[in-house]
Amino acid sequence: MSLETANTPNSYLSSLPKTLTGITGLDEITKGGLPKGRPTLICGSAGCGKTLFSIEFIVRGALEFNEPGVFMAFEEKSEELAQNVASLGFDLNQLQKDKLIKLDHVHIERSEIEETGEYDLDGLFIRLGYAIDQIGAKRVVLDTIENLFSGLSNQGILRAELRRLFEWLKARKVTTIITGERGDGTLTRHGLEEYVSDCVILLDHRVSNQISTRLLRIVKYRGSMHGTNEYPFLINEKGISVLPVTSLTLDHPVSSERVSSGIPALDKMLDGQGFFKGSSILISGTAGTGKTSIAASFANEACLRNERCIYFAFEESSFQIIRNMRSIGFDLQTHIDKGLLKFQASRPTLNGLEMHLVAIHKQIKEFKPSVVILDPITNLITVGTVSDVKSMLIRLIDFLQAEQITVLFTALTLNNVINEQTDEGVSSLVDAWLLVKDIEFNGERNRGLYVMKSRGMKHSNQVREFIITDKGLDLVNVYLGSEGVLTGSAREAQQLLEETGIVIREYATNRKDREIERKKLILESKIASLKEEFESVQDELNKTYIEDELRKEVMEKNREQMTRSRHNE
Amino acid sequence: MINQSPTQESTDPYSEGQHYVLQLFVTGISLNSVRAIANIKQICEQYLPGKYSLEIIDVHQQKMLAEREQLIALPLLIKRLPLPERRLIGDLSDTKKVLSGLGITN
């Protein structure tokens, strides 16, 4: 697609009329479906789903868009075709009776035909025209018209007639799908792409590591914007679903609502409120660190809030998880009975990644949960490469965020050296990343938990000890002292030691206090006796002093008396 | 629509064991159709005088025939009898091929 086309005003782009196919995902990639009233070529190698693709186009057109369609089969007989697609829930016979579709099997066999001169394909034109008129068809499929090349030998006539046919179909204003087998180095064996120039879709079927992936690519779509990537698609019991790899824009609505993790102490680490609603959370850690327990706690909490939750387990069966979680105080069975919790346990190797993604999509669409858990995503690596898993998870996260569903992944880190870069490469995609880690010390193994990142909130930078008890999960502060970080029994011992210290200190202080008191009493009594001694000395001194005074007075008196008496004489 | 051959003889069709029942499907008066009609008439007159019946059908007039008779390329000549049934397409200008297709050896 040239820049020039991309720059044309939107009014022009939107004016190109399109026909919705009704095939899940395809209409999004093509931004509205196939070009209306024009032929579209669908090519691919054998068994890549061309026929199914085109029959779904016809059936969906008839059922969902009220556009009857003619299916002209050059390969399979009508009855075979009806049987083949019955497994998808398409009742072609009934649709034929209802005049919504018309199946026509074209039988052409070179050995039965002798070419004796000039001819044309008027028979095909009349036949198709009659079928279109009979049911008022708006859609036509020619599957696979290239078979004519094996039935008829005059290539010159055939090519001219095919060109005429496509022009004629355009003039009839029917939206047509022409299928073609892929040739060597060309899109189709007989170069049909030369005649169909408006829209070409290529289907592919690749097998790597014994797991197959179907891929769809829009090679060309004249006059319209379209996704140019290879899009994986699936054929399941509901037909074809194409999955856009990523939404091209990052414009999900966001919520500032918070959801609890089910562990109050963990919520406290996350700004006191827990995770954001609709965010993606990764819990990684080594084996046996309690990742599943955290996940179950989150699920349990969601169910207690009366919200729905789907738990995709890739390692354990649902019964195993329910039994195991009962031992730590989570009764998941009651949630299942209430219809709030759903387990979807499967081995990753059951399907390819794309099939898993579609299964997840389907379950989510049906169950409409507000919380989704994938435990663990690391197991998916067994069915794809790291980049495949990453691309799948990107798409999943995109989808979940658009739906405002909170998702929690667990991931197993294989060794104790934590590689902060990878973890299936999703660590950069997730909003919150918790790490559970073994702390081996003093002959025992304990769990430490910390928040590696948590977008958009203040979060604790502390390592907490993560404890699994039969009453649930809890986090406690690790002991930070002169001897470093202590956990488990070392932490408890240290705590005990501290408590002993306090008691001893208190006792010591008490003894000193009493001694001071005693000293005080002794001194005080000494002071009292000294005081008394002083008073008696004072008394003694005072006594002599007064006697002296008295004597002096008396002697004075006596002398006066004597003086007076002498004068009187 | 249906043109019975004007040269149908009154002789017993099975007396010689080789009565030909032919159907020619054409589209209106297109060039190929006109040539095909002329050619088959000439061949029949020359090689099968008196022991054939020829039906000429305009598919435009009976469109439902197209599906029933598995018509794709036109003009189409079907030899119904004698068995085996044979289908010849084209304007029948290649007389040699027409004759071998009809199983007429001379």
Side-chain angles (χ1 to χ4, degrees):
Chain A
M1 164 137 282
S2 71
L3 268 176
E4 226 176 342
T5 325
N7 286 340
T8 19
N10 282 331
S11 56
Y12 168 67
L13 289 179
S14 56
S15 73
L16 183 89
K18 295 187 181 182
T19 297
L20 289 171
T21 58
I23 295 171
T24 321
L26 183 67
D27 294 334
E28 286 158 39
I29 301 168
T30 53
K31 309 221 181 311
L34 303 179
K36 195 183 185 78
R38 299 190 193 190
T40 294
L41 174 66
I42 293 183
C43 46
S45 44
C48 68
K50 297 185 293 291
T51 302
L52 193 67
F53 199 99
S54 39
I55 200 116
E56 188 166 346
F57 170 71
I58 290 287
V59 172
R60 299 245 178 253
L63 290 176
E64 292 170 25
F65 305 106
N66 197 24
E67 292 193 355
V70 174
F71 192 96
M72 203 168 234
F74 292 79
E75 282 179 333
E76 292 170 280
K77 285 191 174 151
S78 309
E79 306 83 62
E80 288 170 353
L81 205 61
Q83 265 174 11
N84 293 351
V85 298
S87 61
L88 302 174
F90 300 154
D91 187 352
L92 296 188
N93 293 330
Q94 186 58 43
L95 285 168
Q96 283 218 81
K97 270 184 216 148
D98 297 343
K99 300 246 174 222
L100 284 170
I101 65 166
K102 167 99 183 99
L103 297 178
D104 184 1
H105 171 238
V106 175
H107 171 83
I108 189 153
E109 177 59 57
R110 184 176 278 194
S111 62
E112 294 173 7
I113 291 171
E114 195 75 55
E115 290 180 37
T116 64
E118 291 276 311
Y119 55 89
D120 52 41
L121 297 185
D122 267 341
L124 182 68
F125 281 69
I126 291 167
R127 193 161 161 181
L128 194 52
Y130 181 63
I132 291 171
D133 292 339
Q134 258 187 322
I135 59 168
K138 298 269 186 291
R139 300 178 177 210
V140 168
V141 167
L142 303 172
D143 176 52
T144 302
I145 201 163
E146 281 185 312
N147 272 18
L148 286 180
F149 285 91
S150 62
L152 302 169
S153 59
N154 193 331
Q155 295 247 340
I157 291 178
L158 266 179
R159 288 186 183 280
E161 286 295 284
L162 283 183
R163 194 179 293 278
R164 188 162 73 95
L165 177 66
F166 296 144
E167 288 306 320
W168 179 78
L169 285 167
K170 268 193 209 178
R172 300 281 322 231
K173 293 195 178 8
V174 286
T175 310
T176 312
I177 286 185
I178 295 132
T179 64
E181 193 99 338
R182 198 167 181 185
D184 281 337
T186 52
L187 289 174
T188 57
R189 249 179 231 167
H190 298 279
L192 285 180
E193 60 270 27
E194 286 171 39
Y195 311 113
V196 185
S197 46
D198 293 303
C199 182
V200 178
I201 296 174
L202 179 68
L203 305 182
D204 200 359
H205 191 188
R206 274 181 228 153
V207 178
S208 65
N209 290 335
Q210 292 97 46
I211 286 153
S212 79
T213 310
R214 294 173 190 274
L215 296 160
L216 174 148
R217 184 163 67 93
I218 298 169
V219 180
K220 168 171 172 181
Y221 198 147
R222 191 172 278 177
S224 165
M225 294 273 286
H226 61 85
T228 49
N229 299 333
E230 281 194 315
Y231 299 95
F233 74 96
L234 284 146
I235 299 173
N236 62 5
E237 67 270 26
K238 296 238 170 106
I240 289 175
S241 8
V242 187
L243 303 159
V245 171
T246 47
S247 48
L248 300 169
T249 50
L250 286 168
D251 53 0
H252 314 301
V254 293
S255 167
S256 46
E257 213 179 299
R258 305 288 277 268
V259 287
S260 166
S261 63
I263 308 169
L266 180 57
D267 292 345
K268 210 175 275 173
M269 286 178 86
L270 299 162
D271 207 9
Q273 297 173 75
F275 304 109
F276 280 115
K277 184 180 163 67
S279 65
S280 44
I281 303 146
L282 173 70
I283 296 171
S284 64
T286 45
T289 44
K291 298 179 295 294
T292 302
S293 305
I294 296 176
S297 154
F298 190 52
N300 184 52
E301 187 66 22
C303 294
L304 289 177
R305 285 196 305 269
N306 264 332
E307 292 175 2
R308 285 158 179 268
C309 171
I310 299 191
Y311 196 119
F312 293 97
F314 298 120
E315 228 170 30
E316 295 171 276
S317 76
S318 55
F319 303 108
Q320 244 175 318
I321 294 175
I322 293 164
R323 181 199 65 195
N324 297 349
M325 292 307 124
R326 197 175 289 139
S327 73
I328 58 168
F330 298 136
D331 189 2
L332 301 178
Q333 189 62 48
T334 47
H335 301 316
I336 294 176
D337 297 342
K338 276 189 203 160
L340 290 170
L341 181 63
K342 187 169 184 178
F343 272 97
Q344 191 67 36
S346 60
R347 284 275 171 214
T349 41
L350 176 72
N351 296 316
L353 280 179
E354 300 311 327
M355 203 70 189
H356 275 295
L357 187 56
V358 148
I360 291 170
H361 264 252
K362 208 180 110 200
Q363 294 280 347
I364 290 170
K365 289 269 184 202
E366 280 172 17
F367 196 65
K368 301 195 190 312
S370 65
V371 169
V372 170
I373 289 165
L374 272 83
D375 177 33
I377 51 168
T378 9
N379 263 21
L380 294 173
I381 209 94
T382 50
V383 284
T385 64
V386 175
S387 70
D388 288 344
V389 175
K390 183 172 179 179
S391 116
M392 173 213 166
L393 290 173
I394 289 174
R395 275 178 285 152
L396 182 63
I397 290 174
D398 270 346
F399 165 69
L400 293 171
Q401 290 194 335
E403 304 269 320
Q404 280 288 295
I405 296 169
T406 318
V407 60
L408 187 146
F409 306 106
T410 68
L412 177 73
T413 41
L414 291 173
N415 47 28
N416 276 312
V417 183
I418 289 139
N419 188 343
E420 307 205 348
Q421 293 306 311
T422 56
D423 260 335
E424 316 327 318
V426 286
S427 54
S428 65
L429 300 169
V430 296
D431 298 315
W433 183 9
L434 305 183
L435 209 122
V436 202
K437 188 177 169 181
D438 277 334
I439 301 173
E440 204 180 309
F441 177 74
N442 200 18
E444 63 177 28
R445 195 169 145 272
N446 295 296
R447 303 175 179 93
L449 180 144
Y450 58 96
V451 182
M452 201 88 123
K453 78 168 186 186
S454 184
R455 283 178 185 152
M457 65 177 83
K458 200 172 74 189
H459 59 87
S460 166
N461 62 352
Q462 296 297 301
V463 178
R464 295 287 155 86
E465 191 181 342
F466 174 51
I467 302 171
I468 301 178
T469 66
D470 52 8
K471 293 204 174 60
L473 309 175
D474 199 9
L475 300 175
V476 291
N477 288 335
V478 291
Y479 180 80
L480 292 165
S482 50
E483 285 149 72
V485 176
L486 297 179
T487 54
S489 51
R491 170 179 48 77
E492 276 170 24
Q494 191 64 35
Q495 279 170 348
L496 276 179
L497 211 63
E498 279 189 4
E499 276 166 27
T500 325
I502 289 165
V503 173
I504 290 170
R505 256 203 313 283
E506 267 175 12
Y507 175 70
T509 331
N510 287 347
R511 219 179 55 190
K512 281 215 174 85
D513 279 353
R514 279 201 300 278
E515 209 170 303
I516 289 168
E517 200 65 30
R518 271 201 300 279
K519 275 247 166 71
K520 195 176 141 196
L521 285 173
I522 292 166
L523 281 174
E524 271 173 359
S525 61
K526 268 189 184 160
I527 289 167
S529 72
L530 280 173
K531 232 180 188 167
E532 274 166 27
E533 207 174 314
F534 169 70
E535 270 170 14
S536 56
V537 170
Q538 202 180 25
D539 273 359
E540 200 62 37
L541 288 174
N542 276 352
K543 201 171 105 192
T544 39
Y545 181 70
I546 291 167
E547 274 176 2
D548 280 355
E549 283 284 305
L550 284 172
R551 197 173 288 127
K552 203 174 146 191
E553 215 174 293
V554 172
M555 278 170 73
E556 230 22 72
K557 270 183 187 167
N558 286 351
R559 202 165 53 235
E560 262 178 47
Q561 196 81 38
M562 281 173 71
T563 320
R564 228 178 289 137
S565 57
R566 269 181 204 212
H567 281 284
N568 289 339
E569 283 172 309
Chain B
M1 276 191 340
I2 298 166
N3 297 330
Q4 284 295 330
S5 161
T7 54
Q8 186 136 30
E9 298 292 308
S10 54
T11 51
D12 182 1
Y14 298 103
S15 58
E16 301 194 34
Q18 287 285 313
H19 187 81
Y20 281 77
V21 178
L22 305 174
Q23 276 182 317
L24 179 65
F25 294 89
V26 294
T27 49
I29 48 157
S30 73
L31 202 56
N32 286 337
S33 305
V34 173
R35 275 207 300 260
I37 293 168
N39 285 333
I40 191 65
K41 279 189 175 164
Q42 203 212 321
I43 290 169
C44 288
E45 281 305 306
Q46 193 177 338
Y47 297 96
L48 306 166
K51 48 178 184 175
Y52 73 97
S53 63
L54 174 67
E55 191 184 0
I56 298 170
I57 300 154
D58 182 359
V59 188
H60 274 306
Q61 306 296 320
Q62 299 181 57
K63 289 181 177 174
M64 69 287 286
L65 278 181
E67 187 186 346
R68 205 179 70 204
E69 298 293 343
Q70 282 293 347
L71 303 185
I72 297 290
L74 291 177
L76 170 71
L77 179 73
I78 301 179
K79 180 193 72 159
R80 300 284 188 201
L81 283 173
L83 293 170
E85 193 177 290
R86 290 289 298 173
R87 297 164 83 92
L88 286 79
I89 57 169
D91 60 10
L92 308 171
S93 56
D94 189 336
T95 313
K96 226 171 124 188
K97 276 194 174 171
V98 176
L99 290 179
S100 80
L102 292 176
I104 299 169
T105 43
N106 231 356

